[in-house]
Amino acid sequence: MYMRRHILPRWGKLRLSEIHQPDVAQWLAAKSAEGLAPATVEKIRVIFGRSFELAIEWNVTGASRNPTHGIKRPPINNARERYLNPAEAQRLQAAVSESRNKQLKYIVALLLLTGARVSELLNAEWRHIDLERRSWLIPTSKTGKARHVPLSKQAVDVIQSIPRFGTCPYLLPNPDTLKPFTEIKHAWQHARDKARLPGLRIHDLRHSAASFMINAGIDLFAVGRVLGHADHKSTQRYSHLANDTLLAAVEAGANRQGVDWTPS
């Protein structure tokens, strides 16, 4: 999509040796001026730059330098802190259960119960689900490595209730094509609006899963392992959510002392 929409229309008819760093810098600046999110512009730069790195590695004619090198990257702060509370989760459950997309209720439930990425779940296969061990193998994750996602009892119950479509290998296929959904945008937006949760992104369910675990007293390291974070810094974004748990810890410690330290 990034190649088709952004890169090829601008650079597709030029020789590699005709693409220069100042022109690329101006082009990326124009993309920002068009209103694209900083992370989107950065993704375009990374894809374009990686293409040149591979061209140089493969000795493609005309590829002698990477024109994205030296272009200053603007700071990116796309963090959106949106987490469901229990009441909102209940409203969402009611809304997705009435969706015309009969798979949506399972998709939303498992996103909240596993903290998985949407793409990981939509491409999940039955052969990678081990209900006896309560484990889901994701062969290739965002980090490029396989990982195992532990399945709670509720997650197992949800999976056991998912309808099977003959020999279709996918856990949650599009019933019409028996292939993974390419997008569930419309069904999601309709359910989200019906649940009175404007602006909630489906990716926020992953954040919400982390929030529920942390506020249940689970430490950040364990949550990071469940989410498949390769770097603990990725999990630190949730550190502020542990405040209720930390308050409960100090209250419990104070009460355990059996002493009233309040000055008389």
Side-chain angles (χ1 to χ4, degrees):
M1 183 273 286
Y2 289 97
M3 292 291 291
R4 176 171 50 84
R5 289 188 182 180
H6 303 288
I7 296 174
L8 290 177
R10 173 63 179 85
W11 307 104
K13 295 182 179 180
L14 294 179
R15 296 177 182 273
L16 297 182
S17 59
E18 295 175 327
I19 302 175
H20 305 292
Q21 193 247 35
D23 298 324
V24 174
Q26 291 179 5
W27 169 63
L28 292 173
K31 288 294 179 184
S32 296
E34 290 173 10
L36 294 182
T40 301
V41 176
E42 174 62 5
K43 188 168 291 187
I44 293 170
R45 188 197 67 79
V46 168
I47 293 172
F48 198 40
R50 180 59 177 158
S51 300
F52 274 90
E53 293 293 340
L54 289 174
I56 294 169
E57 181 181 334
W58 297 336
N59 295 315
V60 174
T61 302
S64 59
R65 67 192 185 288
N66 186 340
T68 67
H69 280 175
I71 297 176
K72 186 176 180 180
R73 288 176 286 176
I76 297 175
N77 183 14
N78 278 348
R80 284 185 48 187
E81 296 182 356
R82 180 66 173 94
Y83 310 99
L84 290 174
N85 59 41
E88 291 174 329
Q90 290 176 4
R91 296 207 307 269
L92 183 60
Q93 179 192 40
V96 297
S97 66
E98 298 175 2
S99 174
R100 293 175 61 183
N101 183 335
K102 300 304 180 183
Q103 300 285 62
L104 187 64
K105 60 184 176 183
Y106 306 115
I107 293 171
V108 168
L110 289 176
L111 289 176
L112 278 171
L113 292 171
T114 66
R117 299 177 179 90
V118 179
S119 60
E120 294 172 339
L121 183 60
L122 295 185
N123 289 283
E125 298 184 34
W126 283 105
R127 64 192 175 109
H128 295 140
I129 304 293
D130 188 334
L131 294 180
E132 184 176 344
R133 295 184 178 180
R134 290 169 52 180
S135 178
W136 164 26
L137 169 65
I138 299 177
T140 304
S141 65
K142 185 178 179 180
T143 63
K145 298 179 181 179
R147 68 185 182 95
H148 287 85
V149 178
L151 299 172
S152 65
K153 183 180 182 304
Q154 274 204 67
V156 169
D157 291 343
V158 170
I159 291 172
Q160 289 177 328
S161 68
I162 294 174
R164 299 289 292 261
F165 295 90
T167 59
C168 177
Y170 298 104
L171 182 68
L172 290 162
N174 182 329
D176 296 328
T177 65
L178 299 186
K179 300 290 185 181
F181 282 99
T182 55
E183 60 91 15
I184 53 174
K185 178 180 178 181
H186 298 299
W188 165 253
Q189 289 181 342
H190 181 76
R192 176 197 66 189
D193 295 342
K194 188 170 185 177
R196 306 188 307 281
L197 297 168
L200 183 73
R201 306 169 304 171
I202 197 163
H203 187 68
D204 292 329
L205 302 183
R206 177 170 163 86
H207 300 322
S208 297
S211 169
F212 287 130
M213 285 187 279
I214 289 170
N215 284 319
I218 308 304
D219 66 80
L220 289 175
F221 175 78
V223 172
R225 290 289 301 274
V226 171
L227 297 181
H229 287 163
D231 188 338
H232 73 279
K233 293 180 180 178
S234 298
T235 317
Q236 288 298 319
R237 67 184 299 175
Y238 304 115
S239 60
H240 67 285
L241 296 175
N243 187 57
D244 290 346
T245 301
L246 297 177
L247 284 174
V250 295
E251 286 290 350
N255 294 334
R256 186 69 174 177
Q257 294 178 32
V259 179
D260 184 358
W261 293 98
T262 306
S264 57

